[in-house]
Amino acid sequence: MAIKITKHYFINLSLAVVIFAIGILAIRYYNHYVSAYTDVTINSSVLNESRKVFIRLPANYNPKKAYPLIIKTDGNFNLDTWDKALTKQAKSEKGDKAILVSIPNLFFTDTRNRDLVPPYARQDVNTQARPEGETLIEPNGEADKFLAFIETELFPYLSAKYKLSNNRVLSGFSAGGSFVLYTLHTRPELFNGYFAFSPAAWYDDMTVVKNVEAFLTTQANKVKAPTYLYLSVGGAEHPLMLKAFNNLESALKANPNNNLAWQSAINEGAEHSDNPPLSVSKALAGYSAFIKK
């Protein structure tokens, strides 16, 4: 028997598809751009756009008490791990230790590489160095602008709302790890803790590694106060990631600095996305021991 397909059937089917698509988009938006904590929007003149930040306050937060500040990239990614690690640390050390602020990437626009890749590397990351004399077709990263947003707009906002101590940590994963290293070698005084999990330091023929090495060799006197760096990588990550990690370790070993304490770890068997959850507690423990000294 033939089934008669009416105009109303097509209209209802189209509506169902649209509603389903909107529902999927709403779920993705919520998962990406809404946190379980305090969400704040900052109108940035530096970036010429509005940016959200997720603010996790310590349990039993006391507005009269000064807290360390941890800033991490990539919003909700690995945020649950941070929450559990900070909660565990609070119980073991009898007092929640920090205000955690996580900055999500924009939802409707792909800004991750723009914000996190250093300005001396291409946004469309490449393993090979840019050929000499090549016209700038592919745009470079704009980590300098993103860092200016943190320094000149986010810091003042947080300082006006919360009482903060002098202890500040910057944490990032992959491209965020390269942003951490970029901040360390350009503005080391902004933070006294740097966590780089699986840093994508291999951009443009190891340009991030080379810039860090040049800093350690010729400009390390810019690290004027005790500073802590934690590096980690998964043992099962891409060979380029492991090579960059090994080169960073070699540069740090070859250029000891009395003001720069550092630790590194290879999490055996861990893939790229497995490494951050395995690294948070270790980095916090290392930083806590560093602060106590």
Side-chain angles (χ1 to χ4, degrees), residues 62-186:
N62 181 354
K64 296 181 179 179
K65 177 183 175 182
Y67 291 90
L69 174 66
I70 300 173
I71 290 181
K72 71 173 286 291
T73 59
D74 286 330
N76 275 326
F77 175 78
N78 206 35
L79 194 51
D80 286 345
T81 301
W82 277 94
D83 176 55
K84 293 174 184 176
L86 288 170
T87 299
K88 183 177 179 180
Q89 184 187 56
K91 291 179 180 178
S92 64
E93 298 187 15
K94 297 181 180 179
D96 213 334
K97 294 298 179 183
I99 293 173
L100 174 65
V101 176
S102 189
I103 310 173
N105 308 305
L106 289 183
F107 180 70
F108 291 108
T109 307
D110 184 9
T111 59
R112 186 172 190 264
N113 280 6
R114 182 201 74 179
D115 290 343
L116 301 180
V117 173
Y120 47 71
R122 283 167 281 189
Q123 285 186 40
D124 185 13
V125 295
N126 198 305
T127 60
Q128 302 300 315
R130 190 189 301 275
E132 290 186 18
E134 179 189 75
T135 303
L136 185 61
I137 299 174
E138 301 175 53
N140 282 11
E142 298 181 6
D144 51 337
K145 294 181 181 178
F146 191 60
L147 183 57
F149 159 70
I150 292 174
E151 180 183 5
T152 66
E153 296 178 326
L154 182 55
F155 279 171
Y157 174 85
L158 296 171
S159 297
K161 295 288 183 180
Y162 309 104
K163 193 173 182 180
L164 302 174
S165 73
N166 292 325
N167 293 322
R168 297 193 296 207
V169 171
L170 178 64
S171 178
F173 159 64
S174 194
S178 69
F179 176 70
V180 169
L181 294 174
Y182 168 74
T183 304
L184 174 63
H185 79 71
T186 58

